[in-house]
């Protein structure tokens, strides 16, 4: 651990400010709390919101995991993990079950989360109403007055154009029957895991300066129509490496001839299954 | 049905040196149900002005202009609107309609405004247009493009679509040929038989003689006469 | 005839500093009545409309609306959520420029369906059927249901805005120059449509315009405004054909006869 930095990079006042925002977010699930987002030593879009939230909740005894679209080994995941190794000296892991703080970009781990764990989401655009209503003053008013008809207009547009709700990620949810929330760009396959989750879920948007949260066991419902109910869909394949049929899959191009395989997006989950002896059709 | 008492009317032209033009003073008469009365007097004597006052189109300065017990001088706009919808019909010399509305709809409109089912209203309108010899191919066109005589007949059909208990007719037979003139006189006679009170302006003396029970010379209502 | 006014406006006054927007305006509007408000630019007619519709807070006065649930209530005293709820259920507002009243990036069907979804409709098939029905009523080809309004002509956009407003069956419609900026031939079609909708739905309407031909065709009653004050009001044809006030006489005589 580098001695030149305060624990977890941010100074204590900043962390307190962020913790206050987090506590308010937990007290009002789904509500976007403004916070004074700091400049971080990485560009916006690389998880500055998530990193600040992680820094604010992290303690010396924590075990930290970072996933980027389910993978522990992308540039982004590796550099954020090493950032906290250097600035906080915390233990890191790739095992979902061992981690106490998991920062994620665009996925929820396949392995069910437990009480005591914190899942920190990196959020690009926190406002679910933004694409239909560009005025922040108006979207805030819509949230405060629970005027969410517009959210269904978006889903209506999907069905009218594609015959079904084509929104596949960042699928809007209603939290405890009150706030409509953007769950960050996770695939809608992950939406059912948001609700009734034993872990704390925190959402940080650095550029947009918003934090919101789901305390454990919160009711989260994906918006839909009676005649077009929500469906948590995934590619209709089994993982080529571990054979799992119930995990979210990435499509990978394997050669110049257009050959492709489907593999678990959650690398840790896939590796554990392979260690346990499961094998898919393309397993080495 | 119609009752006028001590009615006075003048026009004040604010933008032309506030000139005041007195028109009537102390006008009064009554018309009973089933009666048809002709307003007479030289051109410019105020027949049309009086007619418009009885419709509530022009405002009287004082007196009572009552139709079916509603005094148009003091009534609120909505009372006059109701009166015009249910009780008081007016066939003017000119047809004023929204361009592009089909003739059949123009004629059916007074019935639709009363809440008569659309199919019944159109059937009644069609029967009247038939009777007034408007060729069926024209029914779906706007009357704005019709000849003067055709427009006049559309106007009459519209005025007679609902069996108003009180009716104002401004030159109903002008610019009509003999056949259609006879139809209009028939319609008037039928309305009288139903008990409709009618006030009309007829330059057509033969028509006046045929349908009118009385004549009222409006010259007698002019301020000069009263003075 | 109903004796309960749908809307009672009492002493509405709005000042912009020393300038008077509108002063001491009062009237009653009854169910099924259409009232026109005319006057030249700056006469205060738009200020009055915006005060009544809750877009601008007046300095004094009451706007009492006969609500479906609670009977007559002063809408200016309502909480904002209540007023916004009213604005998307019992009230409608037709803007002069369709793009102010439409979502240009949303399909025609979505535009019409929005108010339904805003009041809780959650069945896609029913929402779509209702949107299609309304497009038909405003004479837009149902094939255009999935097209965006940016691909529509000005007249079609205005008709779409009307459909979007009327889909929840409001009782009172505010219209701000509804035919402004449209070709004369398109205006006539729109006027005819508005007239039959107002009649068939027993709507009450307040129409602000500077076009006397529009009020003659649409409005039962007419209010003439000048410098923020009402100078004359009454039956539309009476005010236009036998104007009593000097300003109204000037206004009426300024119109070219065709």
């Amino acid at each position: 651990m580098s001695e030149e930095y305060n624990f977890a990079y941010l100074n204590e006042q900043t962390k307190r400010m962020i913790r206050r925002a987090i506590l308010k977010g937990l007290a009002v699930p789904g509500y976007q709390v403004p916070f004074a987002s700091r400049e971080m030593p990485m560009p916006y879009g690389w998880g500055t919101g998530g990193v600040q939230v992680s820094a604010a909740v992290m303690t010396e005894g924590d075990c930290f995991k970072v996933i980027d679209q389910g993978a522990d080994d992308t540039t982004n995941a590796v550099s954020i993990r090493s950032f906290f190794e250097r600035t906080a000296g915390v233990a890191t892991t790739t095992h979902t079950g061992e981690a106490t703080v998991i920062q994620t970009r665009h996925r929820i781990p396949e392995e069910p989360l437990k009480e005591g764990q914190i899942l920190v989401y990196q959020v690009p655009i926190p406002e679910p109403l933004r694409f239909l209503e560009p005025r922040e003053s108006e979207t805030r008013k819509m949230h405060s007055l629970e005027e969410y008809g517009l959210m269904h207009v978006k889903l209506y547009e999907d069905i009218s154009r594609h015959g079904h709700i084509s929104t596949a990620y960042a699928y809007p949810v209603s939290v405890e029957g009150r706030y409509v929330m953007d769950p960050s760009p996770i695939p809608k396959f992950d939406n059912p895991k948001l609700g009734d989750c034993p872990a704390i879920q925190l959402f940080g948007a650095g550029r947009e300066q918003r934090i919101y949260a789901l305390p454990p066991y919160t009711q989260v419902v994906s918006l839909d129509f009676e005649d077009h109910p929500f469906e948590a869909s995934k590619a209709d394949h089994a993982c080529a490496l571990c054979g799992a049929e119930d995990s979210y899959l990435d499509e990978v191009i394997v050669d110049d001839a257009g050959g492709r395989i489907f593999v678990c997006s959650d690398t840790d989950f896939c590796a554990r299954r392979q260690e346990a002896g499961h094998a898919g059709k393309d397993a080495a | 049905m119609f009752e006028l008492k001590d009615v006075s009317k003048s026009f004040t032209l604010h933008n032309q040196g506030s000139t005041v033009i007195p028109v009537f003073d102390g006008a009064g008469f009554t018309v009973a149900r089933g009666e048809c009365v002709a307003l007479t007097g030289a051109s410019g004597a105020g027949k049309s002005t009086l007619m418009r006052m009885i419709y509530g189109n022009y405002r009287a300065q004082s007196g009572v202009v009552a139709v079916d017990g509603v005094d148009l001088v003091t009534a609120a706009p909505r009372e006059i609107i109701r009166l015009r919808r249910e009780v008081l019909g007016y066939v003017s010399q000119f047809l004023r309609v929204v361009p592009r509305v089909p003739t059949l709809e123009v004629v059916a409109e007074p019935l639709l405004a009363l809440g008569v089912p659309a199919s019944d209203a159109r059937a009644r309108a069609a029967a009247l247009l038939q009777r007034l010899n408007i060729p069926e191919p024209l029914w779906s066109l706007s009357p704005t493009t019709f000849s003067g005589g055709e427009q006049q007949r559309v106007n009459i059909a519209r005025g007679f679509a609902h069996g108003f208990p009180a009716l104002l007719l401004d030159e109903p037979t002008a610019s009509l040929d003999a056949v259609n003139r006879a139809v209009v006189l028939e319609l008037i006679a039928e309305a009288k038989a139903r008990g409709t009170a009618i006030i009309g302006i007829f330059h057509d003396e033969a028509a006046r003689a045929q349908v009118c029970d009385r004549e009222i010379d409006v010259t007698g209502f002019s301020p000069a006469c009263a003075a | 005839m109903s004796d309960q006014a749908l809307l009672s406006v009492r002493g509405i006054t709005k000042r912009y500093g020393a300038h008077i927007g509108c002063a001491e305006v009062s009237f009653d509007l009854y169910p099924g009545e259409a009232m026109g408000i005319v006057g030249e630019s700056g006469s205060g007619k738009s200020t009055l409309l915006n005060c009544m519709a809750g877009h601008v807070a007046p300095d004094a006065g009451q706007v009492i609306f006969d609500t479906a649930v609670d009977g007559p209530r002063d809408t200016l005293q309502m909480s904002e959520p209540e007023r916004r709820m009213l604005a998307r259920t019992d009230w409608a507002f037709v803007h002069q420029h369709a793009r102010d009243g439409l979502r240009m990036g949303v399909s025609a069907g979505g535009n019409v369906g929005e108010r339904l979804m805003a009041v809780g409709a959650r069945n896609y098939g029913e929402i779509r059927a209702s949107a299609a029905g309304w497009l038909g009523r405003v004479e837009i080809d149902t094939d255009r249901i999935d097209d965006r309004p940016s691909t529509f002509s000005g007249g079609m956009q205005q008709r779409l805005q009307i459909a979007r407003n009327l889909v929840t069956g409001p009782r009172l419609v505010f219209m701000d120059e509804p035919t402004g900026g449209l070709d004369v031939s398109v205006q006539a079609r729109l006027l005819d449509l508005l007239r039959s909708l107002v009649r068939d739905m027993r709507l009450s309407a307040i129409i602000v315009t500077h076009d006397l031909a529009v009020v003659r065709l649409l409005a039962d009653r007419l209010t003439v405004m000048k410098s923020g004050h009402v100078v004359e009001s009454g039956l539309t044809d009476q005010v236009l054909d036998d104007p009593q006030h000097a300003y109204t006489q000037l206004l009426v005589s300024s119109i070219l006869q065709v």
Side-chain angles (χ1 to χ4, degrees):
Chain A
M1 172 172 148
S2 167
E3 294 300 324
E4 284 91 52
Y5 294 109
N6 189 43
F7 177 76
Y9 185 76
L10 293 173
N11 64 56
E12 293 304 309
Q13 274 69 27
T14 298
K15 285 193 280 186
R16 277 165 68 182
M17 176 271 293
I18 295 172
R19 285 176 198 139
R20 277 199 293 269
I22 291 170
L23 287 171
K24 183 168 179 180
L26 286 165
V28 192
Y31 171 70
Q32 298 168 48
V33 186
F35 81 109
S37 179
R38 296 293 193 250
E39 290 291 330
M40 297 302 286
M42 61 186 74
Y44 289 125
W46 286 66
T48 55
V51 166
Q52 290 178 78
V53 170
S54 292
V57 299
M58 198 172 279
T59 59
E60 283 171 8
D62 270 317
C63 184
F64 189 57
K65 169 182 162 83
V66 185
I67 49 174
D68 176 2
Q69 307 232 23
D72 290 273
D73 53 4
T74 69
T75 314
N76 198 226
V78 169
S79 55
I80 291 175
R81 198 160 59 226
S82 64
F83 175 78
F84 282 110
E85 279 167 359
R86 265 184 73 194
T87 61
V90 290
T92 57
T93 180
T94 59
H95 294 175
T96 301
E98 286 172 12
T100 53
V101 176
I102 304 171
Q103 181 169 332
T104 178
R105 175 174 172 268
H106 305 185
R107 272 312 309 274
I108 297 175
E110 301 292 353
E111 185 179 330
L113 299 174
K114 304 171 296 198
E115 283 186 19
Q117 288 184 309
I118 299 177
L119 185 61
V120 178
Y121 295 77
Q122 300 173 197
V123 180
I125 296 169
E127 180 49 72
L129 300 162
R130 179 63 68 235
F131 290 103
L132 291 157
E133 176 51 68
R135 293 167 295 181
E136 174 74 11
S137 59
E138 188 63 19
T139 54
R140 282 206 204 188
K141 200 164 269 175
M142 290 159 91
H143 280 295
S144 68
L145 301 178
E146 283 186 73
E147 289 183 7
Y148 291 131
L150 202 50
M151 226 44 258
H152 275 86
V153 172
K154 185 168 184 277
L155 301 179
Y156 170 94
E157 292 287 285
D158 259 11
I159 303 173
S160 71
R161 215 165 294 154
H162 307 288
H164 59 274
I165 297 177
S166 61
T167 299
Y169 60 92
Y171 192 104
V173 294
S174 169
V175 178
E176 289 287 337
R178 177 59 183 86
Y179 286 97
V180 165
M181 186 187 96
D182 183 330
S184 88
I186 59 170
K188 67 177 174 183
F189 173 83
D190 283 342
N191 267 29
K193 300 180 208 165
L194 291 161
D196 206 29
C197 173
I200 294 173
Q201 299 174 79
L202 305 175
F203 299 78
R207 180 177 40 211
E208 303 280 328
Q209 312 199 321
R210 293 289 184 278
I211 285 171
Y212 49 102
L214 297 172
Y217 307 108
T218 299
Q219 184 207 74
V220 178
V221 178
S222 302
L223 302 182
D224 61 2
F225 287 103
E226 292 160 6
D227 46 349
H228 286 267
F230 171 80
E231 256 178 280
S233 58
K234 65 180 269 289
D236 191 17
H237 293 274
C239 174
L241 300 178
C242 76
E245 292 179 349
D246 54 356
S247 71
Y248 190 71
L249 302 175
D250 285 339
E251 188 178 2
V252 182
I253 309 289
V254 289
D255 56 33
D256 290 346
R260 60 192 62 197
I261 58 169
F262 289 89
V263 296
C264 290
S265 112
D266 185 334
T267 51
D268 174 56
F269 175 78
C270 195
R272 318 242 118 215
R273 278 180 53 87
Q274 291 178 63
E275 278 167 27
H278 296 281
K281 63 181 174 64
D282 290 344
Chain B
M1 180 55 78
F2 293 104
E3 186 178 10
L4 280 73
K5 249 192 302 194
D6 219 7
V7 176
S8 69
K9 168 72 188 163
S10 60
F11 291 104
T12 306
L13 306 179
H14 292 284
N15 300 303
Q16 294 172 41
S18 295
T19 312
V20 178
I21 305 172
V23 186
F24 298 123
D25 195 16
F29 61 88
T30 58
V31 178
R33 286 172 200 277
E35 208 182 0
C36 178
V37 170
L39 299 180
T40 59
S43 190
K47 300 185 292 293
S48 288
T49 301
L50 188 59
M51 192 90 108
R52 283 168 168 247
M53 287 166 67
I54 300 170
Y55 194 59
N57 181 222
Y58 283 1
R59 196 183 294 196
Q61 260 66 39
S62 65
V64 174
V65 179
V67 179
D68 196 24
V70 176
D71 180 6
L72 293 159
V73 180
T74 54
R78 67 194 192 101
E79 292 177 83
I80 301 178
I81 291 163
R82 185 198 56 86
L83 193 74
R84 288 178 178 181
R85 190 168 58 231
E86 297 170 5
V87 178
L88 179 62
Y90 181 37
V91 178
S92 71
Q93 288 187 63
F94 307 101
L95 183 67
R96 192 169 236 154
V97 293
V98 182
R100 148 198 135 87
V101 179
T103 297
L104 192 68
E105 294 294 315
V106 168
V107 175
E109 195 181 325
L111 292 168
L112 295 173
L114 282 165
V116 172
S119 55
D120 297 355
R122 291 201 185 99
R124 167 88 180 133
L128 276 161
L129 288 169
Q130 194 97 57
R131 218 171 142 186
L132 285 155
N133 302 303
I134 303 287
E136 191 162 347
L138 297 184
W139 296 359
S140 57
L141 305 176
S142 166
T144 44
T145 55
F146 291 5
S147 73
E150 282 165 343
Q151 289 198 3
Q152 176 68 349
R153 279 179 277 151
V154 171
N155 218 5
I156 290 165
R158 181 181 161 87
F160 281 91
H162 168 52
F164 288 109
L167 205 49
L168 302 169
L169 305 173
D170 192 350
E171 296 279 14
T173 55
S175 69
L176 293 188
D177 58 63
V179 175
N180 286 309
R181 179 177 166 276
V183 175
V184 173
L185 294 178
E186 254 172 60
L187 285 169
I188 296 172
E190 287 167 20
K192 278 176 68 180
R194 276 199 307 272
T196 300
I198 300 173
I199 298 177
I201 300 172
F202 301 87
H203 282 149
D204 175 351
E205 285 180 29
R208 196 195 308 162
Q210 191 180 331
V211 294
C212 294
D213 306 300
R214 276 193 289 145
E215 293 184 7
I216 294 173
D217 188 345
V218 300
T219 318
F221 302 144
S222 76
C225 278
Chain C
M1 185 159 50
S2 165
D3 281 326
Q4 175 69 57
L6 184 67
L7 187 75
S8 297
V9 173
R10 292 287 175 268
I12 288 293
T13 300
K14 173 73 186 173
R15 287 192 181 78
Y16 299 103
H19 175 74
I20 292 174
C22 61
E24 291 291 327
V25 179
S26 300
F27 64 86
D28 288 320
L29 185 75
Y30 291 86
E33 268 187 337
M35 190 178 99
I37 302 176
V38 296
E40 60 202 22
S41 304
S43 60
K45 57 189 194 300
S46 293
T47 299
L48 176 62
L49 186 76
N50 284 319
C51 285
M52 290 188 288
H55 299 168
V56 168
D59 300 319
Q62 294 174 300
V63 177
I64 300 160
F65 180 74
D66 186 17
T67 61
V69 184
D70 301 324
R73 292 199 46 201
D74 183 359
T75 59
L76 298 175
Q77 300 300 319
M78 283 183 174
S79 67
E80 189 172 12
E82 282 180 300
R83 201 160 51 230
R84 282 174 72 114
M85 179 57 100
L86 194 65
R88 59 173 192 257
T89 52
D90 268 352
W91 286 9
F93 196 103
V94 176
H95 294 266
Q96 174 177 5
H97 302 292
R99 54 182 58 243
D100 294 338
L102 290 173
R103 290 192 191 279
M104 299 306 281
V106 168
S107 70
N111 263 291
V112 178
E114 181 178 344
R115 269 172 79 115
L116 293 172
M117 293 182 247
V119 295
R122 291 292 178 265
N123 187 296
Y124 174 82
E126 288 169 19
I127 293 165
R128 194 167 170 84
S130 170
W134 266 98
L135 290 182
R137 277 183 86 166
V138 299
E139 302 169 27
I140 294 174
D141 194 339
T142 352
D143 292 350
R144 307 292 304 268
I145 191 168
D146 293 329
D147 294 346
R148 293 184 177 190
S150 47
T151 66
F152 287 7
S153 70
M156 279 170 78
Q157 288 183 3
Q158 199 57 299
R159 295 202 299 277
L160 180 63
Q161 191 193 182
I162 289 161
R164 169 179 159 88
N165 267 283
L166 299 187
V167 65
T168 47
R171 293 188 293 151
L172 175 61
V173 186
F174 299 102
M175 300 188 209
D176 187 6
E177 301 276 8
T179 59
L182 296 178
D183 290 345
V184 177
S185 61
V186 177
Q187 280 191 14
R189 184 174 185 191
L190 189 69
L191 284 173
D192 172 35
L193 176 71
L194 282 172
R195 227 159 77 111
S196 51
L197 288 172
V198 164
R199 182 188 62 211
D200 296 347
M201 297 178 73
R202 290 275 296 141
L203 285 173
S204 300
I206 294 179
I207 305 138
V208 162
T209 180
H210 62 266
D211 188 338
L212 298 185
V214 168
V215 289
R216 192 184 275 279
L217 293 173
L218 277 185
D220 307 308
R221 289 165 56 193
L222 187 59
T223 291
V224 182
M225 292 189 72
K226 181 177 192 300
S227 310
H229 295 268
V230 172
V231 295
E232 185 164 354
S233 62
L235 273 179
T236 301
D237 60 279
Q238 191 180 77
V239 173
L240 294 180
D241 293 340
D242 186 15
Q244 307 290 312
H245 190 276
Y247 176 71
T248 317
Q249 291 185 357
L250 184 66
L251 198 68
V252 170
S253 63
S254 308
I255 303 298
L256 291 173
Q257 299 290 329
V258 285

